Structure formats: C-alpha cells, structure tokens
Amino acid sequence: MLDFHSHILPEIDDGAQSVEESIAMLKMLKEQGVTTVALTSHYLAMDESPEMFLERRAQSFEILKNAIDNKQLDLPDLMLGAEVYYYPGICKMEELSTLTLEGTNLLLLEMPMARWSEYTIRELEELYGNTGIRIVIAHIERCIDYQKKETLERLFNSGVATQVNASFFISKRTRRKALKMFKLGHIGFIGTDCHNLKYRPPKMNEALQIIHDCKQIPNEVLDDFIKNQKDNLYP
C-alpha cells in the first residue's frame, strides 16, 4: 500500500522536526501495512526557487537515510516528491518537472480553498497536455464543496487525478462522502498527510479498515484502486 502524501522528512517544513520523529512515523506506517511512502514536503514558489528546495530536500533525505541505514531498520520504501502550492502562471515554471514524484510524471498540487477560476482550470488542463505533467490534486476533499460539479467532471476527464487524506474516511462527518467517491472511482490516491506523532500522526490503517468494512464497496473496487495506483507509479 502507498502513502501518497506525507511530511516525514525532518526539519524541512511544518512536518517532522527531528530524525527520531521521522523514523517513528515510518515505523507506524510499516506496522499499518504501508510499503511505500511519498515524501511530499511543502514547496512554495514565493519563498524559494526549485533549486533551493531540492537542495534542502536532498540534505534532509540524506540525514534520514543515513539514520535508517545505520540502524538497519526495515521501513517502507521512500520516494521523493513535493506538495507544490498552486499559483497563477505555474504552468510557465520551467523547473516544474523537477518537483514531480521521482520516477513518475505525477505532481502533487495543493489548490486554494476557493472557487477556481476558468483561468485556473485551463492551467491544470494545459499542464498535462503541454508538459506531460499529470496533476494530482492534494486533499481534494478540502476544495470540492467550492467547485461546480461540471468543473470536477471536466478535470477528471482531462486526466487530472485526486488524492484524499485518510482523515476523510476516518471522520464520521465526511466518511459517507469519502466512501461514495471511492466507490465511483473518483479517488486516485490516499495519503496520511502526517506531520507529527501527536496532532497529525499517520492513520492509514484506520482509513483502509473503513473501506474494507463498507459493504457497498465490492472487493474488486479496492483491487482496481490498488492496481491503478501501481499503473500510475510505474506506467
């Protein structure tokens, strides 16, 4: 199982603040059956260039990897990526492809919690059509209530994928909507979006158990979800 969205790299954003905390979260994910973790630290173009971010990310990853190797820990496989915050004109960023999840054309993009303009929607469509970068909208559950139904269908049809947080299934307030989206095939990836051990720990197992226990979701739907994840990661 893949955790597509996490803030586990130490001391790079508002996620893990130490190597020890990073390793503790990875151990939790391992126990929860997660085999691969995407390390998607926040990237804001207004704060730094892609080169600066990639250098900081590489340093943080090296520290984490050395600690894992030195202790000979059996932890999930790690993939470097980023959670890129959208800004108007992002499709013109020449280095955007360097922020995709390593080995893929998938870019985790955090969108504003507001009604998206026609300009914004066209940018998302053009990114895939013109650059080959496939957008995965981060925790789309935060944004869907602001959008028209036609907007979401248009994006889905254009190849834009979606990621939701495990908490979307865990919260009783949103669980019904999450399960409906999953059954309809509108969820491409699930991520814990874990930041720390205390307030935002990884809870992938709880979300998966809720999906497994839902009688309205046939086993083949979950099987297709897992297969589609692999196909997107390793086309």
Side-chain angles (χ1 to χ4, degrees):
M1 189 62 190
L2 166 70
D3 181 354
F4 194 79
H5 186 165
S6 75
H7 296 272
I8 287 176
L9 280 179
E11 300 184 76
I12 188 172
D13 60 9
D14 60 343
Q17 295 304 299
S18 69
V19 175
E20 292 75 21
E21 188 172 34
S22 299
I23 290 176
M25 285 195 281
L26 288 171
K27 286 181 177 179
M28 291 177 67
L29 287 168
K30 178 74 174 182
E31 292 170 357
Q32 293 172 19
V34 173
T35 56
T36 305
V37 178
L39 304 172
T40 52
S41 304
H42 288 292
Y43 173 73
L44 284 81
M46 65 186 74
D47 291 343
E48 60 185 340
S49 67
E51 292 84 0
M52 292 172 62
F53 169 78
L54 293 173
E55 183 177 350
R56 288 196 306 116
R57 188 184 71 178
Q59 292 172 352
S60 177
F61 182 66
E62 184 177 5
I63 292 170
L64 175 59
K65 194 71 170 60
N66 286 341
I68 293 172
D69 291 343
N70 289 338
K71 296 180 181 180
Q72 297 182 329
L73 298 173
D74 181 20
L75 297 174
D77 294 332
L78 304 177
M79 300 179 71
L80 288 170
E83 180 184 6
V84 180
Y85 193 77
Y86 169 84
Y87 68 91
I90 192 171
C91 65
K92 298 176 183 177
M93 182 194 292
E94 294 181 359
E95 309 95 332
L96 192 60
S97 62
T98 65
L99 301 174
T100 55
L101 185 64
E102 64 175 324
T104 79
N105 66 342
L106 302 174
L107 181 76
L108 186 64
L109 192 66
E110 183 177 10
M111 298 296 296
M113 293 175 58
R115 175 71 63 85
W116 303 330
S117 67
E118 176 64 21
Y119 175 87
T120 297
I121 296 166
R122 285 183 180 176
E123 270 209 298
L124 298 185
E125 292 173 332
E126 290 173 7
L127 273 170
Y128 187 46
N130 295 342
T131 68
I133 294 174
R134 189 177 184 199
I135 296 300
V136 180
I137 299 178
H139 36 60
I140 195 172
E141 68 271 18
R142 298 181 184 178
C143 305
I144 51 179
D145 289 341
Y146 295 99
Q147 316 309 323
K148 296 179 180 179
K149 182 180 179 181
E150 305 82 58
T151 297
L152 297 174
E153 291 177 350
R154 176 177 166 186
L155 290 175
F156 295 156
N157 290 334
S158 69
V160 171
T162 62
Q163 175 262 317
V164 301
N165 285 354
S167 58
F168 191 37
F169 295 93
I170 295 169
S171 171
K172 292 183 179 179
R173 183 176 59 85
T174 58
R175 182 178 301 168
R176 185 175 180 180
K177 181 185 292 186
L179 291 170
K180 181 179 179 181
M181 284 183 64
F182 190 90
K183 183 179 180 180
L184 292 173
H186 290 168
I187 295 174
F189 300 93
I190 299 174
T192 61
D193 197 6
C194 57
H195 279 62
N196 49 55
L197 295 171
K198 190 172 182 181
Y199 302 110
R200 298 178 70 176
K203 295 184 178 180
M204 183 66 81
N205 56 339
E206 292 186 39
L208 294 179
Q209 191 62 53
I210 288 168
I211 295 171
H212 277 292
D213 291 345
C214 181
K215 297 179 180 179
Q216 284 73 41
I217 297 180
N219 289 334
E220 53 265 29
V221 172
L222 181 56
D223 292 341
D224 286 344
F225 170 77
I226 295 173
K227 180 180 182 302
N228 289 335
Q229 280 193 329
K230 293 179 179 178
D231 289 345
N232 281 313
L233 287 177
Y234 311 108

